[in-house]
Amino acid sequence: MLNMNSFNKPITNETSNNENISKIQGRGRGFLLKMYQRQSSEKPGNLLSSSIFLTENINNNVVVHNQDLFKRSSFQDCEYNYETPVRSTYIPPEPNENDKSIYDDGISSGIHFEKFDDIEVKVNGKNIPEAIESFKTNNIADQLMENIKMCNFVKPTPIQKYSIPIILSGKDLMATAQTGSGKTVAYVLPIVQKLLMDPQILVKDRNHSEPQVVIMAPTRELAVQITTVVLKLTRGTGISSFVCYGGTLVSHQKNKILKGCHILVATPGRLNEFVQHGFITFSSVRFFVLDEVDKMLDIDSKPDIDKILDHFSMPSVMDRQTIMLSATLPDATQHLAKFYLNKNYLFLAVGIISSASKDIKQNFCMVNRFNKREILFNILKKDSVGTIVFVKQKWTADFLATYLCEKHIPSTSIHGDRLQDQREIALNDFRNGKMNVLVATTVAARGLDIKCVNHVINYDMPLEIEEYVQRIGRTGRLGNQGIATSLFDPDEDYLLVDPIIKILASANQEIPNWLLKLGREAEYIDANDDFNKFGGSDIRILSNSVDECEEW
């Protein structure tokens, strides 16, 4: 039974047939329909009146004194037909490279930025180029150097020190570094530099175009963010870029693509759609990048990546440069990824693989399903500004955002069932401080660089430890401090006990006694434990298939 304090008026006629039940007014009410359909199929004619609410005037049923706050939650009125998908007509705003305000969004380095130099770095492979200590190299273009200064990049982070010369040397790269360490700039900057050092004609005609760089990202929001980084670094250079992602008007993106671009940032679904229609071919591709490679090569996304890399026009691994990066890089991902790379690729690991940043204070609260909402409210009523709350289910995101608005905490939600324009509005409202809290599913867990995030709360724990690391990595970036609070339900999250203890120990965090009791305590307090040692390795070392290993 649903307990919805946000609404006052239940349907009085439980057996009435609502002709518009498949079209619900008000964003974020999809779960009501799903609940109705589930109960109808399981117990026909026996619907609980408290589970169904009026759909005609759902917004009017909100308590009057909270109406303005509810409207600010970005739940805009819209009709949704859950039987027939609606083709999006959304056209994203055009980016302007001459607008210098784009340089104001980046996260400035924090008080612990200097400690980055103490992080252990390991590079495996043959002919490893020497690391750089400054962005200013002999071959860098003046305009590119000016753009770097506009971005307020003082000196390279560890992953940038090593990845920039590796990519400039022409070698394939598989790299991993903790969240918030500057991985996007680590590959975009040298790619832009190489395009400027060796310019080639942009191939296009009225029927198709051939990008020279393809950057793949798992989520739309991350693809847009990567494009912003590209715009910052290519301003005034003559290098063109475009982002291709779902939820937007297809014909608009098609017209843009046919104009041609040097750098194409894309999500797999929309890119495959254009490839299948022949609007994009890959004959001119010089660089292929998989950002968040462990997510890109999981069971859901790998078939789409294979379609792209197996396309007849895609250059072979010998004729293109392939780059793969992620903060979490399990061995299984490495085994899959190596088939897309040149045999002599370099493996770069900065810090402990798949570990959390030590700049994030990790807190855990033991909860149960009955008290976790109250605990969440008690945390947020003290200070809610700049908080991301992660949940598992899409309907939970909408429900919690509405609940928090009713509690006078301005909140909005982002998840895969929201229209793309509403997702971008929600994210921008959070970035700009109009909303204190962003309630999100996994679409916001990876790569997003949001300046205002001070606190990450796991209302629902993820299923895998890699996603936990990615989630809490939305705060504590570039040497800044952050807080992550997780509501841990032993009945639901018991499989994460041991991995979380390892994560806490590797980040020198305090481990709650109750968590140790849930886990195998003796295994983690052993004096000979090697949590502080380098925690990851190149899988080729285990098979003795790499000749050189160099530590820095």
Side-chain angles (χ1 to χ4, degrees), residues 90-151:
Y90 172 58
I91 298 177
E94 290 290 328
N96 182 3
E97 71 167 18
N98 296 318
D99 181 9
K100 295 186 179 181
S101 65
I102 61 174
Y103 294 97
D104 299 332
D105 294 335
I107 297 177
S108 301
S109 55
I111 59 175
H112 293 162
F113 183 77
E114 295 299 328
K115 293 183 179 180
F116 274 16
D117 290 334
D118 299 330
I119 298 176
E120 189 173 7
V121 179
K122 201 170 189 177
V123 187
N124 299 331
K126 296 180 179 180
N127 302 320
I128 301 170
E130 185 177 350
I132 62 172
E133 294 298 329
S134 169
F135 287 114
K136 193 167 186 178
T137 60
N138 295 331
N139 297 323
I140 195 166
D142 292 339
Q143 183 60 51
L144 180 55
M145 193 64 217
E146 179 64 26
N147 293 340
I148 292 172
K149 292 178 181 178
M150 290 287 292
C151 293

Side-chain angles (χ1 to χ4, degrees), residues 384 386-390 427 430 436-440 444 448 450 453-459 471 474-475:
S384 63
T387 301
I388 299 181
V389 178
F390 282 106
L427 197 56
F430 181 66
N436 289 1
V437 178
L438 178 68
V439 188
L448 291 188
I450 303 175
V453 179
N454 306 310
H455 195 179
V456 171
I457 299 177
N458 286 307
Y459 181 81
R471 284 183 179 186
R474 297 316 97 214
T475 187

Side-chain angles (χ1 to χ4, degrees), residues 74-319:
S74 293
F75 296 122
Q76 304 174 7
D77 288 339
C78 189
E79 285 192 354
Y80 297 91
N81 188 327
Y82 286 86
E83 295 176 358
T84 305
V86 179
R87 199 68 170 172
S88 177
T89 59
Y90 172 58
I91 298 177
E94 290 290 328
N96 182 3
E97 71 167 18
N98 296 318
D99 181 9
K100 295 186 179 181
S101 65
I102 61 174
Y103 294 97
D104 299 332
D105 294 335
I107 297 177
S108 301
S109 55
I111 59 175
H112 293 162
F113 183 77
E114 295 299 328
K115 293 183 179 180
F116 274 16
D117 290 334
D118 299 330
I119 298 176
E120 189 173 7
V121 179
K122 201 170 189 177
V123 187
N124 299 331
K126 296 180 179 180
N127 302 320
I128 301 170
E130 185 177 350
I132 62 172
E133 294 298 329
S134 169
F135 287 114
K136 193 167 186 178
T137 60
N138 295 331
N139 297 323
I140 195 166
D142 292 339
Q143 183 60 51
L144 180 55
M145 193 64 217
E146 179 64 26
N147 293 340
I148 292 172
K149 292 178 181 178
M150 290 287 292
C151 293
N152 293 320
F153 297 155
V154 179
K155 69 175 185 177
T157 64
I159 190 168
Q160 294 165 3
K161 289 180 180 180
Y162 297 93
S163 64
I164 289 174
I166 289 173
I167 295 172
L168 289 176
S169 71
K171 288 183 172 292
D172 285 5
L173 174 66
M174 185 189 297
T176 179
Q178 292 176 340
T179 55
S181 56
K183 289 186 290 294
T184 304
V185 174
Y187 66 80
V188 171
L189 178 57
I191 287 175
V192 171
Q193 187 171 344
K194 289 198 75 171
L195 292 179
L196 293 173
M197 291 167 57
D198 182 22
Q200 296 184 11
I201 297 175
L202 193 60
V203 178
K204 60 177 182 175
D205 58 33
R206 60 184 298 179
N207 297 316
H208 89 296
S209 68
E210 298 179 7
Q212 298 179 7
V213 181
V214 175
I215 302 173
M216 304 290 298
T219 65
R220 300 169 183 177
E221 287 71 26
L222 180 54
V224 172
Q225 180 177 286
I226 293 170
T227 306
T228 302
V229 175
V230 173
L231 282 172
K232 290 179 180 180
L233 292 174
T234 58
R235 184 182 65 90
T237 63
I239 295 175
S240 58
S241 61
F242 184 67
V243 59
C244 165
Y245 60 99
T248 56
L249 184 63
V250 175
S251 59
H252 169 75
Q253 288 199 338
K254 174 191 135 182
N255 292 335
K256 290 289 185 181
I257 283 173
L258 292 180
K259 293 180 180 179
C261 63
H262 295 90
I263 301 175
L264 177 65
V265 185
T267 53
R270 181 56 61 90
L271 179 56
N272 267 313
E273 186 175 352
F274 285 132
V275 171
Q276 289 169 9
H277 287 86
F279 299 134
I280 295 175
T281 58
F282 303 114
S283 301
S284 298
V285 167
R286 301 164 62 184
F287 303 91
F288 184 83
V289 182
L290 285 181
D291 203 336
E292 303 293 346
V293 61
D294 57 325
K295 185 66 176 176
M296 300 299 286
L297 296 183
D298 69 10
I299 193 170
D300 294 324
S301 302
K302 188 176 183 297
D304 288 329
I305 302 302
D306 287 340
K307 287 179 184 178
I308 294 167
L309 288 174
D310 292 340
H311 193 265
F312 72 90
S313 65
M314 177 64 73
S316 68
V317 292
M318 303 298 295
D319 298 319

Side-chain angles (χ1 to χ4, degrees), residues 24-30 55 58-59 75-80:
I24 292 183
Q25 293 280 1
R27 186 55 187 155
R29 308 297 182 246
T55 60
I58 199 164
N59 284 349
F75 296 122
Q76 304 174 7
D77 288 339
C78 189
E79 285 192 354
Y80 297 91

